[in-house]
Amino acid sequence: MNLLSGPFGIKRHWKWTAGKTLKSMMMLGVVTPVMISTGAQAQTAPMTFAQNQQVEWADNFDIATDHITEVKSSAPTLSPQTADYIAAAIDRYQRIVQAGGWGTVSAGGKALRIGAKDPRVVELRRRLIVSGDLEQQAGLSDTFDSYVDAGLRRFQLRHGLIPDGVMGDGTVTALNISADVRLRQLETNMIRMRSMSGFLGDRYVMVNIPAAEIEAVENGMVRSRHTAVVGKIDRQTPILNSKIYELNFNPYWTVPKSIIRKDLIPKMKEDPQYLAKNNIRIFDWSNNELNWQQIDWNTDEATQYRFTQDPGSENSLGSVRINFHNKHQVYLHDTPSKTLFGEANRFHSSGCVRVQNVRELVTWLLQSTTPDWDRGRVDGVIRTGDREDVKLKSQIPLYLTYITAWANADGVVHFRDDIYDRDDLYGTGEQARL
């Protein structure tokens, strides 16, 4: 049994007959595959199991599914070469479009997973073969075997979906986005990448909003990646360049006026004990503390006061806040709501960026700029619960970016939803925004 690693970092088991080799393996999303007809010719696959006696497939429904991991490139998304990688991907997707694109997968019906037998599996196989997520040699069986499972997980990983190997509604929606739309997405993002092709700094932090992901970059290599939660569609995280200058450990949270109006007032109407339950206190601008009964919650009167949440386990900023220069009153921060990091669509904030494994990022920020800080000291300060503010000795560049399609050195092409509708993917007449 040979163990092969694909270019997407996904390991696959293949059983070979003696003295035979598989002469070509399709790189994921890299090599444009031979197109499979969706019409009458679909009965004849380029290589069926019967025709391909060189390879013995051990379809025991457990192969590969226990070996799928995502090994991302150590090169940053904003590397100087990324625009060139996208250009190569554009060339490949142009060939796919010229050859007729890929077929769709029928929507509706129950979700399909490994072990299922369904006519839609044939559609799924065709779709995955065209985009390079499944080798042509897998054939067009209607059985959802381990190779379809691995191919679907590859597709899900490339599109920012939870790689569960289940063909549910969300995955079908992504599968059915046409090749020409994906091509336009690549073209738009190549322009964005070209605009960011200058020197970004020896150390910097990049937040990719559509991917809800953060990269800490040092000397041209990704030091760490962090899952993020970013702004809702109606409370968008701003796109900007700035510099990180300060960390607040065990911070107070001063509730922004927009959140007082949109969230806090409605919650107080529902539950007058909401402020007490969440350790939020009310002050006037002379620093006099008020009781909630002193405010008319049927009006916007509450927006005239300062609402402050005390440090602690329920504080909305968690254990640390990362400040950077901006006019939008947004920042990076920890969060007590860590279950959101496990979702595929992580667009829940009011514009700020919540950071998974924030202590790792904070330690790197301090170690790279400010003497005498290490992970032990970071943990110790947080454990005390005491307020402490730390100014960075040297500020770290921060880029809040909007990238919905990119490729890496291995030719793996990634796509994310155009969550803020900036790509003009469907030709509404609005120019795509950088």
Side-chain angles (χ1 to χ4, degrees):
M1 185 77 74
N2 292 330
L3 183 64
L4 303 178
S5 293
F8 197 47
I10 299 169
K11 298 176 181 178
R12 295 165 293 192
H13 284 295
W14 300 69
K15 185 182 289 185
W16 303 85
T17 55
K20 301 293 184 180
T21 60
L22 186 62
K23 294 182 179 179
S24 63
M25 291 184 63
M26 191 183 310
M27 295 177 66
L28 173 62
V30 178
V31 179
T32 302
V34 175
M35 307 300 293
I36 297 178
S37 170
T38 57
Q41 296 176 353
Q43 299 300 320
T44 304
M47 185 179 294
T48 65
F49 294 129
Q51 294 166 334
N52 184 28
Q53 294 300 319
Q54 290 95 329
V55 180
E56 179 184 355
W57 299 89
D59 287 325
N60 297 320
F61 303 111
D62 58 355
I63 299 173
T65 57
D66 293 333
H67 303 279
I68 293 180
T69 58
E70 184 178 14
V71 180
K72 293 190 175 183
S73 170
S74 60
T77 301
L78 297 180
S79 76
Q81 296 78 31
T82 301
D84 295 331
Y85 302 149
I86 294 177
I90 287 173
D91 181 66
R92 296 193 297 271
Y93 273 72
Q94 284 174 337
R95 295 199 300 269
I96 292 176
V97 170
Q98 291 167 1
W102 47 60
T104 60
V105 177
S106 298
K110 65 179 181 180
L112 299 179
R113 53 173 49 85
I114 192 167
K117 192 177 181 66
D118 191 285
R120 288 181 295 158
V121 176
V122 179
E123 298 174 342
L124 176 60
R125 285 176 181 265
R126 290 196 188 103
R127 171 63 181 84
L128 295 176
I129 287 172
V130 173
S131 59
D133 297 293
L134 181 67
E135 283 77 15
Q136 294 178 45
Q137 290 84 357
L140 293 177
S141 166
D142 63 357
T143 299
F144 198 126
D145 58 24
S146 57
Y147 301 104
V148 175
D149 176 82
L152 185 59
R153 290 176 191 248
R154 294 182 193 108
F155 175 89
Q156 290 170 327
L157 285 167
R158 292 196 302 111
H159 292 77
L161 303 170
I162 295 173
D164 56 8
V166 176
M167 195 180 83
D169 292 340
T171 296
V172 170
T173 297
L175 287 164
N176 287 342
I177 294 176
S178 66
D180 61 322
V181 167
R182 292 306 192 194
L183 175 58
R184 287 198 295 274
Q185 204 170 356
L186 286 165
E187 291 169 341
T188 294
N189 284 273
M190 185 172 70
I191 297 172
R192 290 184 179 133
M193 284 294 184
R194 297 283 189 205
S195 71
M196 299 286 290
S197 60
F199 179 67
L200 303 177
D202 292 326
R203 300 182 185 91
Y204 66 86
V205 175
M206 187 277 288
V207 179
N208 185 5
I209 296 168
E213 186 176 72
I214 300 168
E215 293 177 352
V217 179
E218 185 171 5
N219 297 323
M221 305 292 285
V222 175
R223 178 70 177 266
S224 63
R225 283 191 173 92
H226 304 261
T227 301
V229 174
V230 297
K232 305 173 185 177
I233 295 175
D234 61 341
R235 306 186 196 182
Q236 299 181 8
T237 297
I239 298 166
L240 54 81
N241 301 338
S242 185
K243 289 188 176 181
I244 297 170
Y245 67 91
E246 183 185 48
L247 305 176
N248 306 138
F249 288 103
N250 303 309
Y252 287 94
W253 179 46
T254 300
V255 184
K257 183 176 292 188
S258 61
I259 295 180
I260 295 173
R261 180 180 292 108
K262 295 178 181 178
D263 297 328
L264 199 149
I265 291 175
K267 289 182 183 297
M268 283 297 291
K269 289 180 180 180
E270 294 175 4
D271 180 9
Q273 298 303 311
Y274 177 81
L275 296 180
K277 291 177 181 177
N278 289 276
N279 298 316
I280 298 175
R281 295 186 290 162
I282 313 168
F283 298 88
D284 64 20
W285 293 103
S286 296
N287 213 34
N288 299 308
E289 188 167 359
L290 307 177
N291 294 319
W292 68 268
Q293 294 94 336
Q294 296 176 253
I295 296 174
D296 183 356
W297 296 99
N298 293 311
T299 70
D300 280 349
E301 179 188 351
T303 61
Q304 302 173 21
Y305 302 105
R306 175 167 54 89
F307 289 76
T308 301
Q309 187 177 37
D310 293 334
S313 59
E314 296 303 316
N315 186 283
S316 295
L317 305 185
S319 60
V320 64
R321 162 175 159 168
I322 303 171
N323 293 321
F324 55 91
H325 302 288
N326 72 97
K327 64 181 181 181
H328 305 280
Q329 294 185 307
V330 297
Y331 30 82
L332 278 63
H333 64 90
D334 186 21
T335 177
S337 303
K338 293 181 169 53
T339 56
L340 295 177
F341 292 124
E343 297 184 6
N345 296 310
R346 298 184 298 277
F347 308 99
H348 302 287
S349 84
S350 293
C352 291
V353 179
R354 307 174 194 175
V355 185
Q356 188 180 38
N357 297 327
V358 70
R359 296 189 190 194
E360 180 182 7
L361 178 61
V362 164
T363 300
W364 176 76
L365 289 170
L366 288 168
Q367 285 180 331
S368 61
T369 64
T370 307
D372 303 324
W373 279 90
D374 57 18
R375 178 60 183 265
R377 186 174 176 185
V378 168
D379 290 342
V381 170
I382 293 172
R383 188 163 49 247
T384 67
D386 296 334
R387 287 279 297 107
E388 183 167 347
D389 298 331
V390 182
K391 295 276 189 183
L392 300 185
K393 297 296 184 183
S394 56
Q395 299 182 10
I396 298 288
L398 171 70
Y399 304 96
L400 301 185
T401 64
Y402 194 86
I403 302 165
T404 59
W406 69 96
N408 63 25
D410 294 323
V412 179
V413 185
H414 293 264
F415 296 100
R416 296 296 185 271
D417 287 345
D418 178 21
I419 187 67
Y420 294 164
D421 195 24
R422 299 180 65 89
D423 287 354
D424 189 31
L425 294 178
Y426 297 95
T428 60
E430 295 184 10
Q431 185 174 2
R433 292 171 287 169
L434 299 183

